[in-house]
Amino acid sequence: MIRRLQWAIVSISALLLLLIAAAFPWRGVPELYRSGVFLLVAAITALSAAAIWWRPAFRHRGGVLLLHLAIALIAVGALIGVFFGRQVRFFMLAEADAPLADFLPPENGRPAIPLPFSFGAGRPEVDYYDPDYLLYRRQPDDPNRMALAGRPHWRGETLYLDNRQNWPRTTLLAPDGSFLPHLNVGEDGILMRQDPQPSEYRVAIRYHHPAAPEERQAVLKVNEPVTIDRWRFYLMSCGTSARGHYVELLARQDPGRLVVAAGLWLLLAAPFWLLVDQWRKQ
């Protein structure tokens, strides 16, 4: 019995890891779920769960039944998404005056997919973290040479190196609100700005239904997809080309997503049910 339970735990963990991978819009995920690895893990999980459920000690416990129902829903929902879901990864022009498209472009030999709405992308916008600065000072033996003297870091609104050397954020701002490329410090030092790191990418998605009186808009961010008529759009990348700004999007339609979500909620509830059963017996 212990060995069956161990096999069930290992196989369920492996199956959940594979299912979690489906939440990320990577290339090759559909091929992974059609592979023998996924089918083998799913089969082992089902057999192990059935072997445990068949034991009289577990058969009539509600938490165990809920756990098995959750596993079944997750597996069924994943398979529905694999065999009946659709996804397209594509580039499109991202300008405010770009025309709207009412289809997803063909990919890997598959035909274009018509949509019940038209959509377009505005120009990408990027927010940045406050830039880092490096402190350089002239060398006493060679005034023409600068050497690194410190790596200050941000503490709230202050660029801090030590108790004697710190600079409020306002002293590093130009009149237009941007950060200065450099700032002289005393007679022999200078703060040099480093390239800022992006903190957020976002794109305004415009879409319009033929029956709707006006165009609508939603903000698409990295790791924050936008759902339009059961299609989920993910922002993968953005950049510029000779024609202007562009974005790389992934559009996914997964009819099994809600089934998987229901299974995951039941999977979270099952341990609490088992704990309540155990508490009542004590």
Side-chain angles (χ1 to χ4, degrees):
M1 178 61 195
I2 298 299
R3 180 162 297 183
R4 291 176 183 175
L5 187 59
Q6 291 174 341
W7 269 107
I9 293 173
V10 172
S11 59
I12 290 172
S13 301
L15 184 64
L16 288 178
L17 289 175
L18 291 174
L19 293 170
I20 289 172
F24 299 93
W26 299 332
R27 290 186 182 273
V29 169
E31 288 73 15
L32 170 65
Y33 282 93
R34 293 189 179 97
S35 68
V37 174
F38 175 79
L39 297 177
L40 178 62
V41 172
I44 292 175
T45 303
L47 292 174
S48 301
I52 294 173
W53 180 84
W54 192 254
R55 302 287 295 184
F58 289 91
R59 192 182 307 170
H60 303 292
R61 296 179 64 178
V64 175
L65 294 177
L66 193 65
L67 176 63
H68 290 75
L69 178 60
I71 296 172
L73 287 176
I74 292 172
V76 170
L79 291 175
I80 291 174
V82 168
F83 293 104
F84 298 99
R86 296 181 292 180
Q87 76 172 30
V88 180
R89 190 165 181 166
F90 60 97
F91 294 90
M92 73 180 310
L93 193 65
E95 298 289 350
D97 56 351
L100 302 182
D102 59 358
F103 66 93
L104 296 176
E107 183 187 44
N108 298 330
R110 293 190 292 265
I113 300 176
L115 298 173
F117 57 90
S118 56
F119 74 102
R123 180 170 295 187
E125 299 179 0
V126 185
D127 290 337
Y128 294 91
Y129 293 107
D130 290 346
D132 291 327
Y133 281 82
L134 296 179
L135 176 63
Y136 291 88
R137 293 193 182 278
R138 291 188 177 89
Q139 297 301 293
D141 55 347
D142 186 358
N144 294 322
R145 187 168 66 90
M146 305 288 288
L148 181 64
R151 298 177 181 269
H153 58 277
W154 288 100
R155 284 189 178 181
E157 294 292 308
T158 302
L159 188 66
Y160 182 88
L161 182 63
D162 54 42
N163 291 332
R164 294 181 301 170
Q165 301 181 92
N166 53 80
W167 302 268
R169 189 175 188 272
T170 53
T171 63
L172 299 168
L173 296 178
D176 62 357
S178 63
F179 282 90
L180 297 169
H182 57 81
L183 178 69
N184 292 325
V185 179
E187 298 181 355
D188 61 348
I190 186 171
L191 284 170
M192 299 294 297
R193 188 188 68 192
Q194 306 301 295
D195 291 335
Q197 298 297 316
S199 61
E200 182 180 83
Y201 295 90
R202 62 181 178 272
V203 175
I205 297 294
R206 301 175 291 121
Y207 63 98
H208 179 258
H209 292 271
E214 59 184 15
E215 187 177 283
R216 296 183 179 182
Q217 183 171 300
V219 178
L220 177 62
K221 302 178 183 180
V222 175
N223 297 325
E224 294 185 20
V226 167
T227 301
I228 307 173
D229 267 14
R230 293 175 297 178
W231 281 94
R232 289 169 67 85
F233 290 87
Y234 297 82
L235 177 60
M236 308 303 294
S237 66
C238 56
T240 57
S241 65
R243 297 180 57 190
H245 293 80
Y246 70 87
V247 292
E248 183 184 12
L249 302 178
L250 184 140
R252 170 183 287 178
Q253 187 183 62
D254 184 2
R257 187 171 63 91
L258 294 180
V259 180
V260 172
L264 291 174
W265 280 109
L266 292 180
L267 190 65
L268 292 175
F272 291 98
W273 194 326
L274 291 171
L275 288 175
V276 170
D277 286 344
Q278 187 67 27
W279 176 73
R280 288 177 177 176
K281 291 181 179 181
Q282 293 179 353

